[in-house]
Amino acid sequence: MVGSRKPKPITTPAEVAAFRAPDGRNKVRCLVRSKHGSGLALEARADRETKSWLYRFNIGGKQYEMTLGASPAMGLRAARDAHGEAAKLVVKGIDPRKHRKAEKARNMSAWTMNEAFERWIDFYANSPGRRGSVPTPRTVMKQRGRWRVHLQEALGGAYVRDISRRDLIDVLERTAFSAREEARQCLTLLRYLFDYCESREQIDENPAAGLEPAKVRARPSRPRDRHLKLTELQELWLATGQERVRGESSGPTVTLTRPVANAIRMLILTGARRAEVAGMRWSEVVKDSWTIPTGRMKGGQAHRVHLSLQALEVLNEQRKLSTSEFVFESNREVSRPIHPDSITTAVVRLQGRERKEPDLDAPLYHLEHFTTHDLRRSVATLWTENFLADPMLVDAMLAHMPPKLVGTYNKGKRYKMQVEVWDRWGEVVGCHLEETGGANSV
């Protein structure tokens, strides 16, 4: 193929593979036919296994040359495509060499979605919200979990600038198929993340802007309205006492540990969230007052809870069980609190719903299904119905974030009124035990 005469242009992959420098010559070039015009060539050298795709072009009356890639890593079709892209730039008077350098520099400064998320989550974790406090570690952990579980695999490796609205719709629809509320939360996360990227000039426009939950089938599901009647709560209270005693024995009858059973009772008595109870520390309790610090509150503001006599009895029992700073210390991990999920699991077990086949002998199997969070709703409902407590007072007792105007102008917590409700509630919940001979009769 190579001789004294000029070789014919290369047209096939087989000719590319066969092309090489002849004996006695260090290098040789051959033109390559391309539908994008002239200038594409292949160069082979005697001292190299690889060959180089070259493009020679003219701009402003001067001739230049650039390397497009190496063969065999870049095949004939890819070389022709690269030649075509470079030729388009030359037609516009753009030097493709400088364009490549600029594109390389742009890629080096561009963030992948993984990089963007790590930058944003650090920013998010340290940015005060509208109430002036930063997100709690638990909230930050949840955002990390959403990214890892629902978004990272589909989006993580791509450049932020390459993510389209269609990409977001696809991944959110897949998430919504199994978890509609999580899909809605992921959409909110992505809006914040792309806003951050837009402000850092990684993108010109936020692809998640204007994307509504309904468009990705992430419309919030109907809110739960299950709340337990007083008699049902009293059954749960009694069951935690019975199961607690069973938990001291060995064998398959073990259902609840005593710290978990007592944590459920504290949920009933205070209306607090499960994570707030699970992480309760002795240092947070002063006499009959429990102050949950800012870092452990969902709303980012410290919250004060009055402890009724029944709540104090629970703490007195835990004093005998806990050897660490945590009130509800784990039986499995010394100096660690019980996990919030342990409370949820215990509530499920008491209803006999832990496994696919229900446990008909479970103490609360006969009750309509309820969740741990339903306890909080139940307490709020009964405070309002039984004691005619003002709904805004109940919201304050539950540490619900008030409407903006109310939060701005009504700073009074009416704590004395809250104390009265908590005390009366403790008496009402505990009255069933008094009728049956007290807690020790279980």
Side-chain angles (χ1 to χ4, degrees), residues 327-368:
V327 173
F328 301 102
E329 186 180 23
S330 171
N331 281 12
R332 296 181 179 179
E333 296 183 78
V334 179
S335 299
R336 297 289 298 174
I338 62 173
H339 196 281
D341 288 346
S342 298
I343 299 175
T344 299
T345 301
V347 170
V348 171
R349 284 179 179 172
L350 288 171
Q351 298 174 79
R353 302 178 186 276
E354 185 182 17
R355 295 181 175 83
K356 187 174 182 181
E357 292 296 325
D359 178 7
L360 304 183
D361 295 325
L364 302 181
Y365 176 74
H366 62 287
L367 297 184
E368 179 187 344

Side-chain angles (χ1 to χ4, degrees), residues 308-323:
S308 64
L309 290 177
Q310 290 71 21
L312 291 174
E313 286 177 6
V314 171
L315 294 187
N316 287 336
E317 184 171 1
Q318 283 303 120
R319 281 285 186 189
K320 303 172 185 177
L321 303 174
S322 172
T323 59

Side-chain angles (χ1 to χ4, degrees), residues 280-286 289-291 293 319 325-327:
M280 188 177 186
R281 291 168 167 83
W282 294 112
S283 60
E284 298 170 357
V285 179
V286 178
S289 181
W290 170 30
T291 302
R319 281 285 186 189
E325 62 176 313
F326 297 102
V327 173

Side-chain angles (χ1 to χ4, degrees), residues 62-135:
K62 294 184 179 181
Q63 192 171 78
Y64 303 95
E65 184 176 279
M66 68 180 294
T67 300
L68 298 176
S71 173
M74 176 182 279
L76 178 59
R77 176 179 295 181
R80 285 169 170 163
D81 290 342
H83 169 229
E85 292 299 320
K88 289 178 184 177
L89 294 172
V90 171
V91 170
K92 297 177 182 179
I94 300 173
D95 188 333
R97 299 171 305 165
K98 295 180 180 179
H99 178 81
R100 175 185 283 181
K101 288 182 179 178
E103 186 69 16
K104 184 177 180 180
R106 182 167 173 254
N107 285 341
M108 290 181 67
S109 63
W111 298 346
T112 65
M113 286 292 290
N114 278 328
E115 292 170 332
F117 176 78
E118 290 302 325
R119 289 171 182 260
W120 170 76
I121 198 67
D122 287 341
F123 171 80
Y124 171 79
N126 294 284
S127 299
R130 82 177 168 89
R131 299 190 72 175
S133 56
V134 298

Side-chain angles (χ1 to χ4, degrees), residues 152-204:
Q152 186 173 28
E153 182 177 353
L155 304 175
Y159 283 117
V160 174
R161 70 183 186 211
D162 294 334
I163 298 296
S164 68
R165 190 180 180 87
R166 181 69 254 174
D167 294 329
L168 301 185
I169 291 173
D170 287 344
V171 69
L172 291 171
E173 281 185 336
R174 287 197 297 271
T175 302
F177 182 77
S178 59
R180 294 176 70 185
E181 175 59 23
E182 276 299 288
R184 188 176 71 84
Q185 295 288 353
C186 285
L187 174 55
T188 301
L189 183 158
L190 289 169
R191 284 180 186 150
Y192 290 151
L193 173 57
F194 282 111
D195 273 345
Y196 175 83
C197 292
E198 185 177 349
S199 67
R200 271 64 180 177
E201 299 185 351
Q202 286 291 314
I203 50 174
D204 295 326

